[in-house]
Amino acid sequence: MNRGALWITRTEPGASALAIQLAEQGYNCITEPLLEIEPIDSKPPATSYDLVFYLSGHAVQNAQSRPQGNLATFAVGDATARRLKEYDLSVEVPLTHSSEGLLTLSREYRDAKHALIVCGTPTRDFLARGLQDRGLHVDTYKVYQRIVRKINVGDLYQRSEVILIESLQCLQAIARSLLGTNTTNTVPKAIIVPSERIADAARDLNLFRVTRSQGVKLEHMLEALNRVELCD
């Protein structure tokens, strides 16, 4: 496969940042996020916590205040950590940038009693359930919601050779737009997803040829793109 058009579906500003990096590698990028971020006017928690988890950069940006207390702060990935460090916070990042990685990393804090998860909606409850299973009291502070944008999904699907999909919500939104249209009669489109959970959901749809990346960084995308090319 030549270096044709890649549709980047992730939210801004991550979409444009990745597009610039991929363009430097010779890829033609379609930067058209499928979701947009809308802040939620929610009250920040008043309780003190031992552990606080930020599940995205948007969670950092839209939180109305930083939680109080002698706490350990966790970021799901490097981009989220960079935003937190702007507040002079010491931040821990798991090797695996996911809720699973955060849960594993938090096990080092055996004396923790109270945890806060700062996130958007919709969101998985995996981390909250895992912490609760260990006996922690967990609060969730939802500070934004992801809204599906009104864009021509069918046209973008046809124009792209590979689609970079970062979330299950993106995958489901694309599938809803495509099902029942002539687009579904074409050869399945190549997509790259960052987790096995999203990969399994994509395979069940029978609309895509799925390649799993090891994360959302540039090096992860390039490695996955090389494997897509080898399969064609």
Side-chain angles (χ1 to χ4, degrees):
M1 182 183 74
N2 59 16
R3 295 194 171 186
L6 308 180
W7 177 15
I8 301 175
T9 66
R10 69 170 58 172
T11 56
E12 294 289 12
S16 293
L18 179 61
I20 291 171
Q21 294 175 313
L22 287 171
E24 292 173 350
Q25 302 296 320
Y27 288 96
N28 173 29
C29 298
I30 302 171
T31 308
E32 192 65 74
L34 194 60
L35 307 176
E36 60 185 1
I37 301 301
E38 182 178 280
I40 295 176
D41 186 17
S42 57
K43 293 183 179 180
T47 308
S48 294
Y49 296 91
D50 304 306
L51 311 175
V52 59
F53 301 85
Y54 288 87
L55 300 193
S56 70
H58 297 300
V60 180
Q61 179 180 346
N62 289 286
Q64 295 184 23
S65 69
R66 310 275 84 73
Q68 302 299 311
N70 184 20
L71 51 82
T73 303
F74 301 86
V76 71
D78 295 333
T80 304
R82 285 193 295 272
R83 292 199 176 190
L84 285 167
K85 288 175 181 177
E86 294 175 3
Y87 297 94
D88 296 323
L89 294 172
S90 178
V91 183
E92 297 190 51
V93 182
L95 291 176
T96 302
H97 295 174
S98 65
S99 293
E100 287 82 355
L102 288 170
L103 185 62
T104 298
L105 184 59
S106 70
R107 290 196 178 102
E108 299 177 12
Y109 294 83
R110 298 180 180 178
D111 296 329
K113 302 297 183 184
H114 295 84
L116 177 69
I117 299 172
V118 187
C119 60
T121 183
T123 191
R124 298 172 64 197
D125 63 354
F126 175 87
L127 178 59
R129 287 189 290 103
L131 294 169
Q132 289 167 346
D133 288 345
R134 286 167 36 200
L136 276 76
H137 175 82
V138 180
D139 288 329
T140 302
Y141 178 28
K142 295 182 179 180
V143 297
Y144 68 92
Q145 58 184 336
R146 303 175 187 88
I147 305 296
V148 178
R149 299 176 64 226
K150 294 181 179 179
I151 58 177
N152 191 332
V153 171
D155 176 65
L156 291 161
Y157 180 93
Q158 296 286 16
R159 289 166 52 198
S160 57
E161 293 191 46
V162 181
I163 307 173
L164 308 186
I165 297 178
E166 195 174 63
S167 71
L168 186 60
Q169 188 181 5
C170 271
L171 175 70
Q172 292 168 338
I174 292 173
R176 282 195 299 269
S177 295
L178 296 179
L179 288 172
T181 68
N182 291 333
T183 305
T184 59
N185 297 324
T186 62
V187 176
K189 188 72 64 176
I191 65 170
I192 294 176
V193 300
S195 75
E196 197 59 34
R197 182 175 68 101
I198 303 174
D200 287 341
R203 294 185 188 105
D204 289 341
L205 292 168
N206 295 318
L207 294 175
F208 310 102
R209 293 183 291 116
V210 183
T211 298
R212 159 83 190 280
S213 73
Q214 295 304 309
V216 298
K217 293 182 179 180
L218 175 64
E219 55 265 36
H220 298 145
M221 293 294 105
L222 292 175
E223 190 276 334
L225 283 164
N226 284 335
R227 283 191 281 119
V228 171
E229 292 173 359
L230 288 172
C231 290
D232 288 356

